[in-house]
Amino acid sequence: MLQVHDLHVSYGKARAVLGVSLHVDKGEIVALIGANGAGKSSTMRAVYGITKPTQGRVTFEGQDITGLPAHRIVPLGVAQVPEGRMIFEDLTIEENLLLGGLARRGSRDEQPMRRVLKLFPVLQPRTSEPASNLSGGQQQMLAIARGLMSEPKFLMLDEPSLGLSPLAAQEVFDLIVTLRADGVTILLVEQNVRQALAIADRGYVIESGRVILEGTSEQLLNNELLISAYLGVKRQ
Ligand code: ATP
């Protein structure tokens, strides 16, 4: 579904992504893991057209989307939930959701709203409340719900568990599994390696702008380097 080949991203002279290649097949959850500043978000933003890659090629369902702006990528069925949620706290939950729908449809279609809210029982009775009333975990749910309003077939999530309690983070991971069961293909950027790989089919480990490891979640969870560097466990 998504192919990224030899992607490079720079910010002025600073090189953030140095030749990342990866793919995501239809129906998969693929995790992009790595430490702070490794280049995960830059990779995702370059796919989504927020940052222009300096080199490389991105294709979605066979169509070259390299360097296309986000507003041309969203109609293809791609959505992104940015790091830090970026919800509008002064707007109501409903208004936040409507903004997500406008990105694709340009209209106030109520069908996606009904469908999306069914997945979020915590938001459903509170749509007229300001988003600022929500807890961190609920705001993350709102950010994901807003991403779903454009009815994407491919969803990219940037650190959805960041800053959440273990319980709220688990709810977010459970939701991601539900979304996949509903037919959404997912690329998940996470620092929470163990939980990300627990739900992912495959993963890529990024370090200093390069993919240093890739494999099935099981292979990665048994990899000595990943265990010592990212899971903080030394094997006997
Ligand atoms: P994090 O978890 O902190 O978001 P990350 O793996 O997603 O980490 P990126 O955010 O892609 O990493 O950052 C990769 C490198 O690019 C870092 O050195 C970062 O400081 C730099 N960088 C990211 N965004 C910008 C920007 N807008 N301008 C300049 N440098 C940037």
Side-chain angles (χ1 to χ4, degrees):
M1 190 173 224
L2 178 80
Q3 289 267 7
V4 174
H5 177 68
D6 193 28
L7 189 78
H8 291 247
V9 176
S10 295
Y11 301 100
K13 283 189 179 154
R15 300 171 73 199
V17 179
L18 299 132
V20 164
S21 295
L22 57 87
H23 69 273
V24 183
D25 294 333
K26 192 171 186 314
E28 277 192 312
I29 297 176
V30 172
L32 214 54
I33 54 192
N36 252 334
K40 307 179 299 295
S41 301
S42 298
T43 300
M44 188 174 272
R45 287 200 303 262
V47 169
Y48 195 59
I50 297 172
T51 303
K52 257 196 190 292
T54 46
Q55 193 182 312
R57 189 173 141 91
V58 182
T59 58
F60 181 72
E61 294 189 320
Q63 183 177 341
D64 191 342
I65 59 165
T66 318
L68 280 188
H71 70 266
R72 298 218 11 228
I73 291 178
V74 176
L76 303 177
V78 180
Q80 187 225 29
V81 181
E83 184 178 342
R85 301 161 205 154
M86 306 284 182
I87 63 161
F88 298 95
E89 291 204 351
D90 294 338
L91 300 184
T92 65
I93 291 165
E94 182 180 21
E95 286 163 344
N96 270 279
L97 290 175
L98 285 171
L99 285 172
L102 289 176
R104 177 156 186 195
R105 307 177 158 267
S107 74
R108 284 175 158 247
D109 185 337
E110 288 191 3
Q111 287 307 317
M113 172 90 69
R114 237 176 275 149
R115 275 196 291 270
V116 166
L117 282 172
K118 263 196 198 149
L119 284 166
F120 299 87
V122 69
L123 301 178
Q124 196 153 29
R126 305 179 61 180
T127 49
S128 54
E129 287 183 37
S132 56
N133 281 7
L134 299 174
S135 69
Q138 291 164 346
Q139 289 192 359
Q140 184 62 60
M141 291 293 189
L142 175 57
I144 296 172
R146 184 182 57 190
L148 293 172
M149 285 291 290
S150 64
E151 305 198 291
K153 44 190 162 185
F154 182 64
L155 183 66
M156 297 188 283
L157 298 155
D158 197 349
E159 305 224 14
S161 77
L162 193 70
L164 301 186
S165 68
L167 185 64
Q170 190 53 54
E171 283 173 5
V172 168
F173 286 114
D174 290 345
L175 172 71
I176 295 169
V177 172
T178 304
L179 294 180
R180 189 259 292 273
D182 275 3
V184 184
T185 302
I186 288 163
L187 179 61
L188 171 66
V189 163
E190 261 297 335
Q191 282 190 47
N192 193 334
V193 174
R194 203 182 291 277
Q195 274 180 300
L197 290 178
I199 63 163
D201 300 291
R202 292 187 300 112
Y204 295 85
V205 181
I206 300 204
E207 208 173 275
S208 306
R210 293 187 169 91
V211 174
I212 57 151
L213 269 180
E214 63 178 277
T216 63
S217 296
E218 201 186 332
Q219 285 167 339
L220 292 177
L221 283 167
N222 285 304
N223 182 283
E224 298 288 341
L225 177 69
L226 187 120
I227 290 169
S228 58
Y230 294 96
L231 299 178
V233 186
K234 287 242 182 314
R235 283 207 146 171
Q236 298 297 325

